[in-house]
Amino acid sequence: MKRSTTNEVRAAPAPVAGECVCVTLRRAARALSQVYDEALASSGLRITQFSLLRGIARLEPVSIGDLAQMQVLDRTTMSRNLAPLERAGLVRQAPGDDRRTSQVQVTPAGHAAIARALPLWRKAQRRIRQEFGDASLGQLRALNAKAEALAEQMR
Amino acid sequence: MKRSTTNEVRAAPAPVAGECVCVTLRRAARALSQVYDEALASSGLRITQFSLLRGIARLEPVSIGDLAQMQVLDRTTMSRNLAPLERAGLVRQAPGDDRRTSQVQVTPAGHAAIARALPLWRKAQRRIRQEFGDASLGQLRALNAKAEALAEQMR
DNA sequence: CGCAAATAAGAGTATATACACGTGTATCGT
DNA sequence: ACGATACACGTGTATATACTCTTATTTGCG
């Protein structure tokens, strides 16, 4: 509903053949993130935060490293991504038995936030699934798997 | 070749049915960006910078707003993305006739950087095209178009 | 002409992402 | 038991992204 800081937004450019696959993928991710963020706006969560919160709820108590694995994210990125959730009181960290680790848990407020956001997410997800279609989503999953496999080869 | 700050990286998790489309798309974008970044590493450019630099070369002299349009990026994001290129001496800004605008140009060093990076990009692009296949890439473009259309509806 | 509305951009703030480096803790081999 | 190694995490730095607010300019209207 807002967007683009005062200046007007015009129509998207015509698709250029031979475009960089990576750039197209990044653009799509940006656009779709805005759609989901907008859908979740009234919950106070972004799609990244919502999915992270849900992931924690599924595994809690869970270490930061394991969370990073779950999301295929760098460990340090996961640390940073936890910070806003923690500041908002939605998650909590406590030292684990292995005192190198930090066990992350969802607080009651965090569970409430999930409950508040879930129907909003479901609605957006339903809409996107219909809009894109199962074939397209299947291709997306396959593409994601291949991209992750290629990225992993480098590590 | 590096990656994940000391801690080990394990295998990717099993695909979960009913996964968030947006999260999958973001993951794929992260992974593929790493593949392209790695391919371009010796050029000193990241894929984002390379594609921006090429875009400027195609349109120069060009305003920041027009560049933002081209990449379907927020205007302020484009301003920030120009900063590293400018600091590296690859692009230059000069006031336009309309003195509200800033006309961006590629410097000789910038053109040299493009020339250096182009074969690396082509190689990565070829590889990805083969790996993913034309059908998958067609679906990706269609998905991108739909996502952008949905995002635009909100603006 | 003069001023209000529109436009282009910068600065401030915040999140998302990753790499290099450093620190504390566990483990394992001898 | 001890020391080398592996491991989990935090911090510093940098890029990518977007929103809000502010400023400088242009344009359009009366």
Side-chain angles (χ1 to χ4, degrees), chain B:
Chain B
M1 241 50 121
K2 52 262 139 146
R3 166 108 192 159
S4 194
T5 317
T6 300
N7 300 352
E8 281 323 295
V9 174
R10 293 129 290 196
V16 175
E19 234 180 23
C20 178
V21 178
C22 183
V23 168
T24 301
L25 192 52
R26 291 179 67 98
R27 276 224 303 253
R30 283 200 302 270
L32 196 59
S33 294
Q34 291 198 340
V35 172
Y36 275 79
D37 281 349
E38 171 88 5
L40 292 178
S42 70
S43 75
L45 292 175
R46 308 176 155 229
I47 181 58
T48 46
Q49 299 171 340
F50 172 71
S51 88
L52 174 53
L53 202 50
R54 259 182 104 189
I56 298 170
R58 191 156 50 86
L59 302 177
E60 69 180 340
V62 59
S63 73
I64 294 179
D66 286 349
L67 283 176
Q69 248 188 284
M70 174 191 66
Q71 304 242 9
V72 196
L73 263 182
D74 188 84
R75 182 188 58 73
T76 64
T77 299
M78 182 54 71
S79 272
R80 315 265 178 178
N81 287 358
L82 285 171
L85 296 179
E86 200 168 3
R87 228 176 307 124
L90 306 182
V91 304
R92 184 176 359 109
Q93 292 189 42
D97 290 341
D98 180 336
R99 271 176 322 197
R100 288 172 303 185
T101 69
S102 182
Q103 296 301 110
V104 183
Q105 294 177 34
V106 178
T107 64
H111 286 293
I114 293 175
R116 223 171 34 242
L118 197 51
L120 303 174
W121 175 79
R122 278 200 222 279
K123 193 174 161 203
Q125 177 83 350
R126 229 182 356 253
R127 181 181 177 204
I128 294 299
R129 289 178 70 88
Q130 283 192 351
E131 194 76 40
F132 288 175
D134 286 345
S136 192
L137 295 178
Q139 291 275 12
L140 173 58
R141 272 192 289 275
L143 186 149
N144 177 51
K146 281 181 186 167
E148 286 186 11
L150 289 173
E152 188 157 2
Q153 284 180 8
M154 307 185 309
R155 304 199 283 236

Side-chain angles (χ1 to χ4, degrees), chain A residues 63-66 68-69 73-79 100-102 155, chain B residues 2-10:
Chain A
S63 73
I64 294 178
D66 286 349
Q69 247 188 282
L73 264 182
D74 188 84
R75 181 188 59 73
T76 65
T77 300
M78 182 54 72
S79 271
R100 289 172 301 185
T101 69
S102 183
R155 302 199 282 233
Chain B
K2 52 262 139 146
R3 166 108 192 159
S4 194
T5 317
T6 300
N7 300 352
E8 281 323 295
V9 174
R10 293 129 290 196

Side-chain angles (χ1 to χ4, degrees), chain A residues 85-103:
Chain A
L85 295 180
E86 201 168 2
R87 227 176 309 124
L90 306 182
V91 304
R92 184 176 358 110
Q93 293 189 41
D97 290 342
D98 180 337
R99 271 176 322 196
R100 289 172 301 185
T101 69
S102 183
Q103 297 300 111

